[in-house]
């Protein structure tokens, strides 16, 4: 019988999940999905029918934990029902949810789409007209279904800014949560973004279009060594020389819209996130 997947990184988008997945994939006790974001339970309402195809993404060995990282698992409202499907698959699953300052996450989200030429409107127009920008920074809303189904003990909340500032401490927390030895993590600099939104060199429009073809990507990616995939995706992923500028007024508006979710995360952590609040009013 194929072992069940033991853990998932379930978000949040543009919060360092790619870098964390990379470090987990290189741990000797972990068999990580050959595709970092399979998104299986988000895409397959009838997941039981295709579960063998999902398990083919893993190479389980005795003593290893199987894991994957799909940020779309916490996309709400468009991903409604995903948490329930995952719980039906494995009610003992451990879940890692890494979050960053919510306004900065929106900036990074917009920069990512702008760099991939998926948007051309200025931030004031784009962010307020497309609900996904705000929704994906509403961490309290996104994580609530998982807390209700799996319990607080099976959900690890990581703060992106703390992960960047002290990668060793963050990885020790992850190791303790998963029950593995932290010595297995490679000595990598988490401060170097694995999937940045600005500052990388350009690849041609043809390569960008090819990477968006989901079927082709799913066919070819398992055939390419993991290290080569990461190097290629880092080069393909960014088209901007620098991050776009958001006005102070827009940032304050975003902050007010996500403030209740900030308070929810603080309550779950049992501490105030001053690193998030700096520069914003507490009202």
């Amino acid at each position: 019988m194929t072992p069940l997947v033991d853990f998932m990184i379930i978000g949040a988008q543009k919060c360092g999940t790619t870098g964390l997945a990379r470090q987990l994939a290189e741990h000797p006790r972990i068999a990580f999905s050959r595709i970092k974001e399979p998104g299986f339970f988000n895409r397959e309402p009838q997941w039981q029918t295709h579960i063998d195809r999902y398990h083919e993404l893993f190479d389980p060995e005795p003593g290893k934990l199987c894991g994957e990282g799909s940020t779309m698992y916490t996309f709400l409202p468009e991903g409604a029902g995903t948490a329930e499907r995952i719980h039906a698959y494995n009610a003992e699953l451990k879940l890692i949810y890494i979050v960053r300052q919510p306004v900065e996450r929106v900036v990074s989200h917009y920069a990512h789409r702008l760099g991939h030429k998926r948007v051309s409107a200025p931030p004031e127009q784009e962010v307020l007209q497309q609900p996904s920008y705000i929704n994906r920074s509403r961490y309290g809303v996104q994580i609530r279904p998982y807390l209700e189904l799996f319990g607080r003990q099976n959900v690890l909340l990581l703060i992106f800014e703390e992960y960047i500032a002290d990668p060793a401490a963050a990885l020790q927390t992850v190791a303790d949560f998963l029950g593995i030895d932290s010595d297995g993590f490679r000595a990598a600099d988490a401060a170097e973004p694995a999937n940045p939104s600005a500052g990388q060199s350009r690849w041609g429009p043809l390569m960008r279009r090819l990477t968006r073809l989901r079927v082709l990507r799913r066919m070819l990616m398992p055939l390419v060594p993991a290290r080569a995939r990461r190097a290629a995706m880092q080069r393909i992923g960014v088209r901007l020389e620098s991050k776009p500028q958001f006005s102070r007024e827009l940032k304050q508006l975003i902050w007010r819209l996500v403030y209740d979710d900030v308070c929810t995360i603080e309550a779950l952590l049992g501490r105030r996130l001053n690193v998030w609040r700096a520069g914003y009013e507490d009202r």
Side-chain angles (χ1 to χ4, degrees):
M1 180 178 178
T2 303
L4 296 177
V5 170
D6 300 284
F7 73 91
M8 295 177 180
I9 304 170
I10 56 172
Q13 185 188 33
K14 304 305 296 180
C15 292
T17 60
T18 300
L20 180 59
R22 177 189 65 202
Q23 292 185 303
L24 284 163
E26 296 188 1
H27 194 288
R29 281 282 316 282
I30 290 175
F32 207 83
S33 168
R34 287 194 292 275
I35 299 173
K36 181 256 181 179
E37 290 198 81
F40 175 77
F41 293 95
N42 185 267
R43 296 181 295 102
E44 296 287 357
Q46 304 301 321
W47 60 271
Q48 299 95 330
T49 305
H50 306 289
I51 195 64
D52 289 343
R53 187 175 67 194
Y54 176 63
H55 285 152
E56 288 173 359
L57 297 174
F58 303 88
D59 294 314
E61 297 177 15
K64 284 192 174 186
L65 301 177
C66 291
E68 60 130 305
S70 298
T71 60
M72 64 282 293
Y73 288 165
T74 47
F75 287 1
L76 287 174
E78 62 266 45
T82 300
E84 288 77 9
R85 289 192 285 273
I86 293 174
H87 186 262
Y89 166 73
N90 182 4
E92 302 302 318
L93 197 75
K94 293 196 172 185
L95 306 159
I96 301 172
Y97 190 55
I98 181 168
V99 290
R100 73 190 291 183
Q101 208 285 345
V103 181
E104 291 305 311
R105 196 218 66 81
V106 173
V107 174
S108 184
H109 186 171
Y110 174 81
H112 178 86
R113 290 179 57 80
L114 186 67
H116 284 79
K117 302 187 184 302
R118 297 174 185 171
V119 61
S120 58
E124 289 77 8
Q125 179 180 338
E126 170 71 10
V127 169
L128 299 180
Q129 290 185 356
Q130 297 296 328
S132 64
Y133 290 101
I134 304 300
N135 285 342
R136 292 175 195 175
S137 277
R138 297 195 66 198
Y139 305 134
V141 170
Q142 288 195 349
I143 199 61
R144 184 173 294 118
Y146 291 93
L147 292 169
E148 292 174 349
L149 289 168
F150 291 89
R152 180 68 179 89
Q153 73 281 359
N154 281 341
V155 178
L156 175 64
L157 296 175
L158 289 179
I159 304 302
F160 172 79
E161 291 80 5
E162 296 170 354
Y163 171 51
I164 294 299
D166 192 349
L171 292 174
Q172 180 65 62
T173 299
V174 172
D176 293 342
F177 178 66
L178 296 178
I180 58 178
D181 191 338
S182 63
D183 290 341
F185 289 112
R186 68 182 180 87
D189 183 7
E192 181 66 27
N195 191 17
S197 297
Q200 288 272 4
S201 60
R202 293 173 177 267
W203 275 36
L206 175 61
M207 286 303 298
R208 292 201 296 274
R209 288 195 295 271
L210 285 175
T211 60
R212 293 178 200 153
L213 296 176
R214 182 179 294 271
V215 174
L216 180 62
R217 190 169 67 243
R218 290 183 185 280
M219 290 174 58
L220 295 181
M221 279 302 196
L223 305 178
V224 181
R227 191 176 298 275
R229 290 201 307 271
R230 289 194 296 272
M233 292 308 295
Q234 286 178 23
R235 291 183 177 275
I236 291 167
V238 177
R239 307 289 157 255
L240 302 179
E241 296 298 329
S242 60
K243 276 192 174 183
Q245 296 299 310
F246 279 43
S247 68
R248 177 171 176 78
E249 291 75 17
L250 179 57
K251 285 189 170 185
Q252 290 287 350
L253 174 57
I254 296 169
W255 174 256
R256 290 194 294 271
L257 292 172
V258 300
Y259 181 73
D260 287 348
D261 292 86
V262 171
C263 294
T264 296
I265 296 300
E266 289 179 329
L268 290 168
L269 293 171
R271 57 190 173 91
R272 183 182 173 93
L273 291 171
N274 292 322
V275 68
W276 284 7
R277 290 174 175 266
Y280 295 91
E281 295 181 358
D282 292 345
R283 292 182 285 119

